[in-house]
Amino acid sequence: MTVRLRFSPSPTGYFHVGSGRTALYNWLEARRRGGTFILRIEDTDTERNRPEWVDGIQSAMRWLGLDWDEGPFFQSQRLSLYQEAAAHLVSHQAAYYCDCTQEVVRERTKANATPGYDGHCRERGLGPGPGRALRFRVPDEGSTTVVDVIRGMPTFDHATIEDFVVVRSNGSPLFVLANVVDDIDMGVTHVLRAEEHLPTTPKYVLLHRALAPGHELPVFAHVPVLVDERRQKLSKRKHKVALEDYREQGVLPEAMRNYLALLGWAPGGNREILSLDELVAEFRLEDVNSSPAFFDERKLLHFNGEYIRALPVDDFVARSQPFLDDGPWAKEDFSPAAFRDLAPLVQERVKTLGEVPEMVDFVFLPEPPLDAKAWDKRVVRGLAARDVLEDAIGEYALCSWDAQVLHDVTAAVGERHGLGLAKAQFPIRVAVTGRDVGPPLFESLAVLGRQRTLERLRAALARLGE
RNA sequence: GCCCCCAUCGUCUAGUGGCCUAGGACACCACCCUUUCAAGGUGGCGGCACGGGUUCGAAUCCCGUUGGGGGUGCCA
């Protein structure tokens, strides 16, 4: 039998990393088993849905490389299906109408030991109508066991499950109903979703049995939630966890994908960096952990650095382009050739593509950006800084313009003033690039050119003299 | 409160009764390399929550405790 998995987000906020991982796991399991991956948008709560979030879901998934075989389906366009299901429940006495308002229920059950709806309308024989919600009649006795590949078999006593609402009093279906109806209709074989859904799963099972008696239940897999440093569930409200933010920051989708895959799952052996093909081949739902994982941005960034460094230089250049386009320099001052020369040196120094512009901005800006602290420390208070600058100007004016030559010449300059190269290069670096960190200096000078280098050296001297 | 889930270094994890003196990675520290910063190399710090069982033997199995989390909506 071919497996069918679905990812069914609701468009109630931007797409966050936790959703990304759930989508990825669904996709991985579907691909590995040669099954079908379905995208279904659960937008039954019209109050909270927004079309831009729907676009966000799809673009985030495309960015991660998670292509779907069917869909996107929209529950808002499948309402008649849910109505039919509701009618079926009513005609089979599996559900009943209720006109209790939330306030009334709360008031009435306040004193009860078990909170929740008390079954007040069970025997009242109410028909449909305005202000009347449809409730599922949960058996009083017995229990429901959920078979979950990563959690075992949690069991829930029916006594602890209230008669839950499946259709709102305004006629719209609730998540729990639409979800089950669609899974049955779409032949979903594996329900892989976040752990927070585990407590409502017995309702899913009860509904499934009532709606499709004899049909096999899907296999459940509740993956642990992602948490913050305080071990609280990552939420859209409180945390900066939108996939989009990482994308804009210059995180590579393959790095994000790899990192996400490892949050709750590990391949055999001491490996961490895995290609998509390896992920597909080795991922196993059964091996997913059951405890919550902390989304560690530092490790993500480490992965990203690994992926950036592994890129062929031309790819690195191409993928840096969008970030270069937003650089702080005038567009016409950017030189692809100059960037290409520095690219290999930049590539091994950044953790995100967003850091690329500041590594090379001194080349494309008319004046070097000024890092006041670096200027003060390495030029104003730097050892023999003035002498080094003056001496360097003299040498640089005459030597041939080549990184190796510049290196040797500068080493000689340093020696004359009792400094090693490491110290001697500082005033020059700050004068020319504005900072005391950056790509190797002599290669940078080679790209900048003799004239601009000398100008900046002289400007620094002038500034020092003030 | 009630229901459910979870528990190995700070973090992500390997581990499925002997191979564990508990392995790897991130982070951190030191050293090496070195024109800065990175990268790389070497080393270090650091963990089986606790208490009972079961067993010749337990990180691994069982029970309890504690701690953490999720749910408890006419949200998903």
Side-chain angles (χ1 to χ4, degrees):
Chain A
M1 188 187 75
T2 144
V3 300
R4 294 173 62 81
L5 291 95
R6 46 70 167 182
F7 173 59
S8 49
S10 65
T12 54
Y14 50 72
F15 197 84
H16 78 125
V17 293
S19 307
R21 190 192 54 167
T22 303
L24 174 64
Y25 281 10
N26 269 289
W27 183 88
L28 246 21
E29 185 69 2
R31 290 290 170 262
R32 179 195 133 229
R33 301 177 60 165
T36 303
F37 181 52
I38 304 165
L39 174 60
R40 187 172 77 214
I41 309 294
E42 311 230 321
D43 54 353
T44 52
D45 186 359
T46 49
E47 303 276 305
R48 300 210 251 172
N49 297 157
R50 287 214 248 134
E52 59 265 39
W53 300 133
V54 175
D55 296 339
I57 290 168
Q58 297 188 63
S59 64
M61 287 182 65
R62 286 197 200 95
W63 180 67
L64 278 178
L66 309 181
D67 55 329
W68 51 94
D69 307 304
E70 294 178 19
F73 296 107
F74 294 87
Q75 293 191 324
S76 57
Q77 291 168 12
R78 300 164 57 83
L79 263 20
S80 61
L81 238 48
Y82 315 132
Q83 280 160 11
E84 279 171 36
H88 181 272
L89 292 175
V90 172
S91 68
H92 287 73
Q93 285 85 50
Y96 59 89
Y97 286 96
C98 167
D99 63 0
C100 300
T101 61
Q102 292 173 77
E103 298 71 49
V104 169
V105 173
R106 207 176 306 126
E107 194 57 34
R108 195 192 314 128
T109 58
K110 213 159 51 181
N112 289 7
T114 43
Y117 185 69
D118 57 359
H120 181 261
C121 298
R122 275 183 178 178
E123 313 298 339
R124 293 178 63 205
L126 259 28
R132 290 180 182 180
L134 187 66
R135 285 183 184 275
F136 184 83
R137 170 66 219 248
V138 177
D140 301 313
E141 308 285 312
S143 62
T144 291
T145 297
V146 173
V147 180
D148 187 302
V149 293
I150 81 186
R151 314 240 155 221
M153 300 180 59
T155 298
F156 302 81
D157 281 335
H158 292 335
T160 65
I161 307 171
E162 63 177 333
D163 286 354
F164 55 94
V165 174
V166 291
V167 179
R168 295 184 180 85
S169 54
N170 69 7
S172 67
L174 250 70
F175 157 77
V176 64
L177 208 220
N179 198 250
V180 175
V181 169
D182 280 344
D183 283 350
I184 293 170
D185 184 61
M186 296 175 185
V188 169
T189 59
H190 292 68
V191 173
L192 192 171
R193 49 175 13 176
E195 181 188 8
E196 64 213 58
H197 291 290
L198 186 55
T200 66
T201 308
K203 297 178 183 176
Y204 181 114
V205 172
L206 255 11
L207 226 28
H208 193 286
R209 289 200 182 118
L211 254 16
H215 272 231
E216 206 174 326
L217 278 161
V219 172
F220 292 98
H222 288 93
V223 305
V225 292
L226 256 28
V227 298
D228 64 14
E229 55 289 327
R230 295 178 49 239
R231 310 301 303 179
Q232 306 280 313
K233 183 174 81 166
L234 236 39
S235 77
K236 299 176 182 181
R237 299 204 92 121
K238 288 184 285 187
H239 307 92
K240 182 219 128 190
V241 287
L243 230 31
E244 186 71 18
D245 291 341
Y246 289 105
R247 175 189 190 164
E248 285 172 4
Q249 195 185 330
V251 169
L252 265 27
E254 53 269 50
M256 176 61 85
R257 203 164 52 201
N258 195 156
Y259 178 66
L260 248 21
L262 261 44
L263 237 33
W265 174 79
N270 286 326
R271 295 173 303 149
E272 290 201 315
I273 302 293
L274 279 81
S275 70
L276 225 212
D277 287 345
E278 290 173 314
L279 246 25
V280 169
E282 299 181 39
F283 180 80
R284 247 164 202 79
L285 201 44
E286 299 76 13
D287 296 339
V288 173
N289 275 163
S290 45
S291 50
F294 168 61
F295 183 82
D296 188 352
E297 202 172 273
R298 286 180 304 186
K299 187 149 182 175
L300 197 221
L301 262 20
H302 168 78
F303 269 51
N304 205 47
E306 296 266 7
Y307 272 88
I308 286 177
R309 275 175 256 126
L311 249 27
V313 183
D314 289 334
D315 288 357
F316 172 69
V317 169
R319 298 178 71 164
S320 294
Q321 200 54 54
F323 297 87
L324 260 9
D325 290 342
D326 288 339
W329 49 79
K331 251 200 160 63
E332 60 274 20
D333 289 341
F334 178 75
S335 158
F339 179 66
R340 180 62 177 72
D341 283 347
L342 254 16
L345 304 173
V346 172
Q347 191 173 358
E348 60 181 65
R349 287 176 168 72
V350 295
K351 279 192 158 63
T352 64
L353 259 18
E355 294 165 14
V356 171
E358 69 193 43
M359 294 290 284
V360 296
D361 55 0
F362 71 92
V363 181
F364 309 118
L365 252 16
E367 308 280 329
L370 184 76
D371 176 340
K373 268 179 72 178
W375 171 266
D376 183 60
K377 182 176 179 187
R378 335 246 55 154
V379 183
V380 178
R381 298 188 290 122
L383 285 173
R386 182 186 297 272
D387 296 340
V388 167
L389 290 175
E390 283 170 348
D391 202 348
I393 289 172
E395 294 287 348
Y396 289 0
L398 301 171
C399 73
S400 67
W401 207 250
D402 166 86
Q404 184 58 50
V405 173
L406 287 164
H407 171 276
D408 296 345
V409 164
T410 309
V413 168
E415 214 171 310
R416 281 200 286 277
H417 302 285
L419 298 173
L421 227 206
K423 294 280 188 215
Q425 56 96 38
F426 267 129
I428 299 170
R429 176 182 288 280
V430 174
V432 175
T433 73
R435 301 190 177 90
D436 58 359
V437 297
L441 182 60
F442 308 114
E443 285 77 358
S444 297
L445 298 186
V447 168
L448 233 206
R450 189 197 308 268
Q451 195 190 329
R452 296 179 73 197
T453 299
L454 290 176
E455 278 169 15
R456 290 180 183 194
L457 254 16
R458 291 192 185 105
L461 225 34
R463 184 186 160 91
L464 233 198
E466 284 165 11

